[in-house]
Short mmCIF file of all heavy atoms in Angstrom, two decimals:
data_model
loop_
_atom_site.label_atom_id
_atom_site.label_comp_id
_atom_site.label_asym_id
_atom_site.label_seq_id
_atom_site.Cartn_x
_atom_site.Cartn_y
_atom_site.Cartn_z
N PRO A 414 16.08 54.78 -13.82
CA PRO A 414 15.27 53.76 -14.50
C PRO A 414 15.13 52.47 -13.70
O PRO A 414 14.10 51.79 -13.80
CB PRO A 414 16.05 53.51 -15.80
CG PRO A 414 16.80 54.78 -16.04
CD PRO A 414 17.18 55.27 -14.67
N ILE A 415 16.14 52.11 -12.91
CA ILE A 415 16.06 50.88 -12.13
C ILE A 415 15.00 51.00 -11.04
O ILE A 415 14.18 50.11 -10.82
CB ILE A 415 17.42 50.52 -11.51
CG1 ILE A 415 18.50 50.45 -12.60
CG2 ILE A 415 17.34 49.21 -10.73
CD1 ILE A 415 18.20 49.48 -13.71
N VAL A 416 15.01 52.13 -10.34
CA VAL A 416 14.01 52.36 -9.29
C VAL A 416 12.61 52.42 -9.90
O VAL A 416 11.65 51.88 -9.33
CB VAL A 416 14.34 53.65 -8.51
CG1 VAL A 416 13.22 53.98 -7.53
CG2 VAL A 416 15.66 53.51 -7.78
N ALA A 417 12.49 53.06 -11.05
CA ALA A 417 11.19 53.14 -11.72
C ALA A 417 10.66 51.74 -12.01
O ALA A 417 9.48 51.45 -11.79
CB ALA A 417 11.32 53.94 -13.01
N ARG A 418 11.53 50.86 -12.48
CA ARG A 418 11.12 49.49 -12.76
C ARG A 418 10.70 48.77 -11.49
O ARG A 418 9.69 48.04 -11.47
CB ARG A 418 12.27 48.74 -13.43
CG ARG A 418 11.90 47.32 -13.90
CD ARG A 418 13.12 46.59 -14.40
NE ARG A 418 14.06 46.32 -13.30
CZ ARG A 418 15.37 46.13 -13.46
NH1 ARG A 418 15.90 46.21 -14.67
NH2 ARG A 418 16.13 45.88 -12.42
N GLN A 419 11.43 48.98 -10.40
CA GLN A 419 11.09 48.32 -9.14
C GLN A 419 9.73 48.78 -8.62
O GLN A 419 8.95 47.98 -8.11
CB GLN A 419 12.19 48.59 -8.11
CG GLN A 419 13.51 47.91 -8.44
CD GLN A 419 14.65 48.34 -7.54
OE1 GLN A 419 14.64 49.45 -6.99
NE2 GLN A 419 15.64 47.48 -7.37
N LEU A 420 9.46 50.06 -8.75
CA LEU A 420 8.17 50.58 -8.30
C LEU A 420 7.03 50.01 -9.12
O LEU A 420 5.95 49.70 -8.61
CB LEU A 420 8.18 52.11 -8.36
CG LEU A 420 9.05 52.78 -7.29
CD1 LEU A 420 9.31 54.24 -7.66
CD2 LEU A 420 8.41 52.68 -5.91
N GLU A 421 7.25 49.86 -10.41
CA GLU A 421 6.24 49.24 -11.27
C GLU A 421 6.01 47.79 -10.85
O GLU A 421 4.88 47.33 -10.78
CB GLU A 421 6.68 49.31 -12.73
CG GLU A 421 5.69 48.65 -13.68
CD GLU A 421 6.11 48.73 -15.12
OE1 GLU A 421 6.92 49.62 -15.49
OE2 GLU A 421 5.63 47.88 -15.91
N GLU A 422 7.11 47.06 -10.57
CA GLU A 422 7.00 45.66 -10.18
C GLU A 422 6.26 45.50 -8.85
O GLU A 422 5.56 44.51 -8.63
CB GLU A 422 8.39 45.04 -10.10
CG GLU A 422 9.06 44.87 -11.46
CD GLU A 422 10.51 44.46 -11.36
OE1 GLU A 422 11.08 44.51 -10.23
OE2 GLU A 422 11.10 44.10 -12.40
N ILE A 423 6.40 46.48 -7.96
CA ILE A 423 5.67 46.44 -6.69
C ILE A 423 4.17 46.51 -6.92
O ILE A 423 3.38 45.92 -6.18
CB ILE A 423 6.14 47.59 -5.78
CG1 ILE A 423 7.52 47.26 -5.18
CG2 ILE A 423 5.14 47.89 -4.67
CD1 ILE A 423 8.14 48.42 -4.43
N GLY A 424 3.77 47.23 -7.99
CA GLY A 424 2.35 47.35 -8.29
C GLY A 424 1.84 48.77 -8.37
O GLY A 424 0.62 48.98 -8.42
N CYS A 425 2.74 49.76 -8.39
CA CYS A 425 2.30 51.15 -8.55
C CYS A 425 1.64 51.33 -9.91
O CYS A 425 2.13 50.79 -10.91
CB CYS A 425 3.49 52.10 -8.40
SG CYS A 425 4.24 52.10 -6.76
N ILE A 426 0.58 52.10 -9.96
CA ILE A 426 -0.15 52.25 -11.22
C ILE A 426 0.44 53.32 -12.11
O ILE A 426 0.11 53.40 -13.30
CB ILE A 426 -1.64 52.54 -10.98
CG1 ILE A 426 -1.82 53.93 -10.34
CG2 ILE A 426 -2.29 51.45 -10.15
CD1 ILE A 426 -3.19 54.49 -10.54
N ALA A 427 1.30 54.18 -11.57
CA ALA A 427 1.99 55.19 -12.35
C ALA A 427 3.27 55.56 -11.62
O ALA A 427 3.30 55.60 -10.39
CB ALA A 427 1.12 56.43 -12.55
N VAL A 428 4.32 55.81 -12.39
CA VAL A 428 5.60 56.22 -11.83
C VAL A 428 5.86 57.66 -12.26
O VAL A 428 5.66 58.01 -13.43
CB VAL A 428 6.73 55.29 -12.29
CG1 VAL A 428 8.08 55.76 -11.75
CG2 VAL A 428 6.46 53.86 -11.82
N MET A 429 6.33 58.49 -11.30
CA MET A 429 6.42 59.93 -11.53
C MET A 429 7.83 60.43 -11.22
O MET A 429 8.10 60.96 -10.14
CB MET A 429 5.37 60.64 -10.67
CG MET A 429 3.97 60.06 -10.85
SD MET A 429 2.72 60.77 -9.76
CE MET A 429 2.49 62.37 -10.56
N PRO A 430 8.75 60.27 -12.17
CA PRO A 430 10.12 60.74 -11.94
C PRO A 430 10.20 62.26 -11.96
O PRO A 430 9.49 62.93 -12.71
CB PRO A 430 10.89 60.13 -13.11
CG PRO A 430 9.87 59.97 -14.19
CD PRO A 430 8.59 59.64 -13.49
N LEU A 431 11.08 62.81 -11.14
CA LEU A 431 11.28 64.25 -11.12
C LEU A 431 12.03 64.70 -12.37
O LEU A 431 12.85 63.97 -12.93
CB LEU A 431 12.04 64.68 -9.87
CG LEU A 431 13.39 64.03 -9.55
CD1 LEU A 431 14.53 64.65 -10.33
CD2 LEU A 431 13.67 64.14 -8.05
N ALA A 432 11.74 65.91 -12.81
CA ALA A 432 12.51 66.55 -13.88
C ALA A 432 13.70 67.29 -13.28
O ALA A 432 14.77 67.37 -13.86
CB ALA A 432 11.63 67.51 -14.67
N ALA A 433 13.48 67.86 -12.09
CA ALA A 433 14.46 68.63 -11.34
C ALA A 433 13.90 68.75 -9.92
O ALA A 433 12.77 68.33 -9.66
CB ALA A 433 14.66 70.00 -11.97
N PRO A 434 14.67 69.31 -8.98
CA PRO A 434 14.14 69.42 -7.61
C PRO A 434 12.78 70.13 -7.55
O PRO A 434 12.49 71.04 -8.34
CB PRO A 434 15.22 70.22 -6.89
CG PRO A 434 16.48 69.87 -7.61
CD PRO A 434 16.07 69.75 -9.06
N ILE A 435 11.96 69.71 -6.60
CA ILE A 435 10.63 70.28 -6.41
C ILE A 435 10.71 71.80 -6.28
O ILE A 435 11.49 72.34 -5.50
CB ILE A 435 9.98 69.69 -5.15
CG1 ILE A 435 9.65 68.21 -5.35
CG2 ILE A 435 8.71 70.46 -4.77
CD1 ILE A 435 9.16 67.50 -4.09
N GLY A 436 9.88 72.49 -7.05
CA GLY A 436 9.79 73.93 -6.95
C GLY A 436 10.94 74.70 -7.55
O GLY A 436 10.99 75.92 -7.45
#
Side-chain angles (χ1 to χ4, degrees):
I415 305 304
V416 174
R418 186 187 67 204
Q419 291 171 334
L420 289 164
E421 179 179 337
E422 290 171 349
I423 284 172
C425 295
I426 67 158
V428 177
M429 308 175 74
L431 55 81
I435 292 173

